[in-house]
């Protein structure tokens, strides 16, 4: 889903399909850039879309597959787990921030939380590459370092966007569930071992 | 008198025709956007086919589910942004203003006399058929997935009795991915259906007011004709 700021309805009702595709792709790409270089800005909040979170969620869930993907029993659980944790976790955090009196809309919050999973997806990619080498304490230390750095990046990126929408005395209460959410995902990434 | 009546009748008929052409949109029955119509149906129907025949396509359960998820997302985007605009001239989106409040906007293309912008009847039929039939099917799948979940619990219970808890978890989590995908199908396609129905209802309010004003004018015209017919004999007598 997307939101858009528009001036005239005729200009977008009659635009070509290619324009629509390019506009949406550019918006998704811009948001990824914003997550990689977080600064306080409103663009992530004004024009929300859920394509980035969907792509990241599916990529992360696929990378967290354990063992062979041929038999039905092996692939299902981890994929469903990751999917459910990410989406239910994001919905719960959004409800929490709305109950605390934040003035951010439901889909905006889902958008920010989903896009800020990007650093952790990169961490997962790096971990999978590192796991191709032999297992050992050095391997674990490298993975731990990468995951901690990316976890901190996710937290910084999401609080840069979400903190402004909360009343000042409730900021810690709103940020704490975000911390837990990314911690659980980081834990899943760190404890992943392919069999 | 008779001539007057016939003149009135022909005048009425001419006015009737002229009015009809300007108020009603001329409907064509040829398809103006074949690619859009194809893709409107392609993503929805192929998602349903993959869901029903997942065992035949691939032995990997995950690959099927990911394919369905991708097809459902592409279908949602295509119907919301492209086919609705091109085929029936309707669009809906979410707009967030500076205060942070979100508004849902439902717009429809105004009736214009330009040839290229009118709605073709065949396309409209294809659009609404695809839009309504597929969410209904996904709701049916949701109910069947709900009931088959109970059936799948029976071997799971026996597995627990044998002590293989991990297999039990795998079976139930496999069920939950299927249900998550079905729920996603219902939500995405239901959202498009709801959005376009609201667009249509919004535009129909304009059509209703146009129709009532047109009927009002016709009614007045009939009354005037009747009064003139009644006056005719009065004049003859006087």
């Amino acid at each position: 889903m997307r939101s858009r700021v528009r001036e005239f309805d005729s200009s977008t009702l009659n635009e070509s399909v290619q324009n629509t595709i390019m506009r949406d792709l550019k918006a998704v790409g811009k948001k990824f850039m914003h997550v990689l270089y977080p600064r306080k800005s409103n663009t992530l909040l004004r024009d929300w879309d859920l394509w980035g979170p969907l792509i990241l969620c599916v990529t992360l869930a696929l990378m967290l597959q354990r063992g062979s993907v041929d038999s039905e029993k092996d692939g299902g659980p981890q994929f469903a787990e990751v999917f459910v944790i990410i989406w239910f976790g994001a919905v719960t955090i959004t409800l929490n921030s709305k109950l605390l009196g934040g003035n951010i809309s439901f889909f905006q919050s889902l958008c920010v939380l989903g896009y800020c999973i990007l650093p952790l997806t990169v961490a997962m990619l790096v971990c999978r590459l590192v796991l191709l080498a032999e297992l050992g304490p050095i391997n674990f230390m490298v993975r731990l370092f990468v995951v901690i750095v990316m976890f901190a990046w996710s937290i910084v990126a999401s609080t840069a966007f979400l903190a402004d929408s909360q009343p000042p005395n409730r900021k810690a209460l709103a940020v704490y569930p975000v911390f837990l959410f990314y911690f659980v995902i980081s834990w899943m990434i760190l404890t992943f071992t392919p069999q | 008198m008779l001539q007057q009546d016939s003149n009135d009748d022909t005048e009425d008929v001419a006015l009737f025709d002229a009015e009809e052409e300007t108020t009603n949109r001329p409907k064509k029955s040829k398809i103006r956007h074949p690619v859009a119509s194809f893709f409107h149906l392609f993503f929805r129907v192929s998602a349903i086919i993959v869901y029903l025949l997942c065992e035949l396509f691939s032995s990997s359960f995950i690959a099927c589910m990911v394919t369905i998820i991708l097809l459902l997302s592409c279908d949602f985007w295509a119907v919301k942004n492209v086919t609705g605009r091109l085929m029936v001239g309707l669009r809906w989106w979410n707009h967030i203003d500076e205060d942070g409040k979100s508004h849902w906007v439902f717009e429809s293309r105004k009736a214009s006399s330009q040839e290229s912008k009118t709605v073709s009847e065949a396309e409209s039929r294809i659009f609404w058929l695809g839009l309504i039939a597929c969410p209904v099917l996904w709701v049916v799948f949701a109910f069947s997935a709900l009931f088959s979940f109970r059936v799948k619990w029976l071997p799971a219970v026996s597995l627990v009795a044998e002590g293989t808890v991990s297999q039990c978890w795998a079976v139930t989590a496999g069920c939950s991915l299927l249900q998550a995908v079905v729920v996603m199908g219902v939500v995405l396609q239901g959202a498009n259906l709801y959005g376009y129905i609201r667009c249509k209802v919004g535009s129909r309010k304009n059509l209703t007011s146009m129709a009532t004003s047109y009927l009002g004018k016709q009614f007045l015209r009939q009354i005037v004709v009747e009064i003139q017919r009644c006056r005719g004999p009065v004049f003859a007598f006087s």
Side-chain angles (χ1 to χ4, degrees):
Chain A
M1 263 206 235
R2 273 193 52 87
S3 82
R4 217 163 274 136
V5 180
R6 259 177 251 258
E7 302 104 26
F8 312 104
D9 72 354
S10 56
S11 58
T12 52
L13 260 185
N14 299 323
E15 67 182 357
S16 69
V17 179
Q18 194 178 5
N19 275 358
T20 315
I21 296 178
M22 289 316 295
R23 191 152 42 97
D24 281 351
L25 281 177
K26 270 189 215 155
V28 171
K30 211 163 66 155
K31 288 197 190 62
F32 277 131
M33 284 294 121
H34 268 269
V35 171
L36 287 178
Y37 304 108
R39 326 174 262 284
K40 275 194 171 40
S41 80
N42 280 338
T43 24
L44 215 73
L45 293 186
R46 287 289 297 277
D47 266 353
W48 59 266
D49 73 79
L50 293 178
W51 293 110
L54 181 74
I55 296 170
L56 290 173
C57 183
V58 170
T59 315
L60 198 59
L62 281 176
M63 284 201 281
L64 278 169
Q65 292 303 303
R66 193 166 290 139
S68 66
V69 207
D70 296 326
S71 68
E72 183 173 321
K73 295 206 172 99
D74 278 359
Q78 290 91 24
F79 195 95
E81 229 173 69
V82 175
F83 223 78
V84 164
I85 283 177
I86 290 181
W87 288 104
F88 271 38
V91 166
T92 311
I93 296 175
T94 309
L95 286 177
N96 174 66
S97 78
K98 285 197 88 80
L99 286 172
L100 283 175
N103 67 342
I104 190 172
S105 97
F106 180 75
F107 288 109
Q108 277 174 330
S109 170
L110 280 186
C111 166
V112 170
L113 289 168
Y115 270 101
C116 293
I117 296 178
L118 177 66
L120 288 171
T121 312
V122 170
M124 182 70 223
L125 201 65
V126 171
C127 282
R128 277 216 91 143
L129 290 173
V130 168
L131 280 168
L132 291 174
E134 59 169 86
L135 296 175
I138 304 172
N139 199 301
F140 180 73
M141 294 308 290
V142 168
R143 282 187 292 131
L144 181 68
F145 175 71
V146 167
V147 168
I148 287 179
V149 165
M150 293 302 177
F151 166 66
W153 200 333
S154 284
I155 299 273
V156 164
S158 59
T159 46
F161 299 119
L162 287 178
D164 283 337
S165 65
Q166 294 294 329
N169 53 343
R170 300 273 172 88
K171 281 206 187 356
L173 274 176
V175 168
Y176 170 67
V178 176
F179 181 89
L180 270 183
F181 175 64
Y182 290 125
F183 181 77
V184 166
I185 299 179
S186 313
W187 184 258
M188 283 199 300
I189 293 174
L190 192 59
T191 57
F192 171 79
T193 49
Q195 274 149 9
Chain B
M1 206 161 56
L2 279 171
Q3 278 172 347
Q4 207 177 17
D5 274 350
S6 64
N7 274 346
D8 279 345
D9 281 341
T10 50
E11 206 178 353
D12 272 357
V13 167
L15 272 176
F16 188 90
D17 280 345
E19 281 261 8
E20 190 173 14
E21 266 170 29
T22 50
T23 52
N24 295 343
R25 295 185 221 159
K27 301 221 189 239
K28 300 247 150 69
S29 60
K30 66 174 162 71
I31 296 179
R32 226 172 282 124
H33 305 106
V35 180
S37 312
F38 170 72
F39 276 111
H40 175 74
L41 293 176
F42 170 71
F43 288 129
R44 317 198 129 212
V45 170
S46 52
I48 289 178
I49 288 178
V50 173
Y51 177 79
L52 289 174
L53 303 176
C54 55
E55 291 93 21
L56 291 181
F57 278 111
S58 154
S59 56
S60 162
F61 181 65
I62 289 293
C64 280
M65 292 296 130
V66 171
T67 314
I68 296 177
I69 289 172
L70 290 177
L71 283 172
L72 285 173
S73 322
C74 289
D75 160 70
F76 180 81
W77 183 86
V79 172
K80 182 170 180 292
N81 290 310
V82 175
T83 63
R85 264 197 297 126
L86 293 178
M87 290 167 83
V88 287
L90 301 172
R91 196 165 196 184
W92 61 279
W93 74 89
N94 178 269
H95 169 67
I96 297 184
D97 59 17
E98 287 81 22
D99 302 328
K101 285 176 47 125
S102 89
H103 307 275
W104 292 95
V105 184
F106 304 94
E107 64 169 330
S108 67
R109 186 181 289 144
K110 301 177 192 31
S112 65
S113 51
Q114 278 178 292
E115 267 288 320
S116 59
K117 302 263 188 344
T118 55
V119 175
S120 124
E121 200 172 292
E123 280 188 349
S124 172
R125 226 180 276 145
I126 293 176
F127 180 79
W128 289 106
L129 189 71
L131 196 71
I132 293 176
C134 293
V136 166
L137 279 174
W138 281 107
V139 169
V140 168
F141 294 153
F143 278 118
S144 79
L146 193 73
F147 291 127
S148 73
F149 179 71
R150 276 202 213 126
V151 171
K152 277 189 185 163
W153 268 110
L154 295 176
V157 166
S158 65
L159 283 173
V160 166
E162 288 168 29
T164 52
V165 178
S166 63
Q167 281 186 18
C168 166
W169 159 245
V171 169
T172 56
C175 299
S176 73
L177 178 60
L178 194 92
Q179 280 144 353
V181 166
V182 173
V183 164
M184 185 176 168
V186 169
V187 164
L188 288 182
Q189 303 207 341
N192 255 332
L193 179 65
Y194 175 72
Y196 278 115
I197 287 182
R198 275 198 70 169
C199 290
K200 194 77 186 167
V201 164
S203 74
R204 202 171 282 146
K205 284 205 187 101
N206 299 337
L207 278 176
T208 321
S209 60
M210 265 199 295
T212 45
S213 68
Y214 169 70
L215 283 172
K217 277 185 212 152
Q218 277 297 95
F219 185 60
L220 274 176
R221 201 174 294 120
Q222 288 295 329
I223 288 179
V224 164
V225 164
E226 285 299 319
I227 289 173
Q228 283 173 345
R229 281 204 193 120
C230 294
R231 270 202 188 153
V234 171
F235 282 138
F237 281 146
S238 62

